[in-house]
Amino acid sequence: MALRPPSRILNANLNLLRQLTRKATAPTTQFVRNHSSVSEDELSHFSALGNSWWDPVGPSRALHLMNPLRHEFIASCLADGSMESASGKKGLKYLDVGCGGGIFAESMARRILDTPSTSTSNNSTTTTDSVLAIDPSPTLIQIAKKHARTDPLIDSHLRTGKFTYRNTTLEELVAEESSTQAFDVVTLFEVLEHIDPATSSPVAFLGNCLRLLRPGGWLVGSTIARSLPSFVVNQVIAEAPWPVGVVPRGTHEWTARTGLTDAHIVIGL
């Protein structure tokens, strides 16, 4: 999933998304600051998996395997036309929403412009000026920071502020005026299926992401589809007892997934 609407379409989409968001959640400025799309059950579940987050053959191994593909996909998006940073700098400003233990965010931080080429393990042409990674779980943010500090290069980016982890929600970030249209690329990988349907929706969540994206920027993400093949792979096989399964039962909630019709509605905006 990747969205890059032209400026005039982006403005129209934002207006429509605001209307849809009002109907779904009736937000006010104060409400947005206190409101969160985070499901407490999901937060507890993934926080409990924190110690195995960086185990390449553990419950998060699928995320490790998909990481190179994500970089390749982003590079193909950026190659599809000219892309200049909103800040006027050579590199791009990234926001990773729902970063978890930092698997993708840390790999993107390796592409920060002052990174020596010998330290870049991926041949993607993606260039980065800064990375902000956010997650509502304080446990996962601490795990992400701890792992980042084991690499002197990544640790140096943390110290200079080029790479930042923040324990916050998307809604809290949107409430900060300085964050409006501040990012060139916003990423959200395997996040939509974990929002709380009682307080938000995919349309409202993506609407908030678009508010943080500058005109002409890219919103790139992935989510588990609500389809039969997806059910077999992610629900039956992935959550099967060991040694077949790779994640604990309850990691994936079928009813929370985005169906093809839902995706078409969101992208059609």
Side-chain angles (χ1 to χ4, degrees), residues 92-108:
L92 305 176
K93 296 180 63 177
Y94 280 78
L95 169 66
D96 187 30
V97 179
C99 65
I103 295 173
F104 174 76
E106 184 174 308
S107 65
M108 184 55 68

Side-chain angles (χ1 to χ4, degrees), residues 39-240:
S39 166
E40 291 298 328
D41 290 339
E42 297 281 314
L43 192 61
S44 298
H45 177 83
F46 285 97
S47 294
L49 298 176
N51 291 332
S52 62
W53 204 268
W54 281 95
D55 181 357
V57 294
S60 299
R61 71 184 184 190
L63 302 181
H64 289 271
L65 293 173
M66 289 189 291
N67 215 34
L69 299 177
R70 289 170 173 171
H71 284 286
E72 291 178 9
F73 182 68
I74 291 174
S76 69
C77 292
L78 299 181
D80 184 20
S82 61
M83 184 72 176
E84 297 180 358
S85 173
S87 62
K89 298 180 180 180
K90 186 177 180 181
L92 305 176
K93 296 180 63 177
Y94 280 78
L95 169 66
D96 187 30
V97 179
C99 65
I103 295 173
F104 174 76
E106 184 174 308
S107 65
M108 184 55 68
R110 296 182 185 281
R111 302 168 187 275
I112 290 175
L113 285 177
D114 56 356
T115 300
S117 59
T118 55
S119 297
T120 302
S121 59
N122 194 293
N123 60 5
S124 170
T125 57
T126 304
T127 56
T128 309
D129 175 65
S130 64
V131 178
L132 171 61
I134 65 172
D135 198 277
S137 168
T139 300
L140 293 182
I141 287 293
Q142 288 303 315
I143 288 172
K145 288 181 178 180
K146 181 179 179 180
H147 188 273
R149 292 189 181 112
T150 62
D151 186 324
L153 177 65
I154 303 301
D155 183 51
S156 69
H157 293 323
L158 287 174
R159 293 177 183 276
T160 62
K162 287 279 190 177
F163 181 31
T164 306
Y165 280 116
R166 284 183 57 183
N167 175 212
T168 189
T169 66
L170 175 65
E171 291 77 18
E172 289 170 342
L173 192 63
V174 167
E176 301 174 9
E177 292 184 5
S178 61
S179 297
T180 303
Q181 297 187 350
F183 300 95
D184 301 298
V185 181
V186 176
T187 59
L188 63 156
F189 296 118
E190 278 61 64
V191 173
L192 287 180
E193 66 267 29
H194 299 300
I195 63 176
D196 189 348
T199 60
S200 189
S201 68
V203 171
F205 195 87
L206 289 173
N208 277 330
C209 289
L210 287 174
R211 291 183 178 93
L212 300 175
L213 189 68
R214 78 167 180 86
W218 280 96
L219 171 59
V220 182
S222 60
T223 186
I224 300 175
R226 193 167 64 240
S227 63
L228 180 58
S230 172
F231 178 81
V232 173
V233 172
N234 295 284
Q235 208 86 27
V236 178
I237 299 177
E239 295 190 12

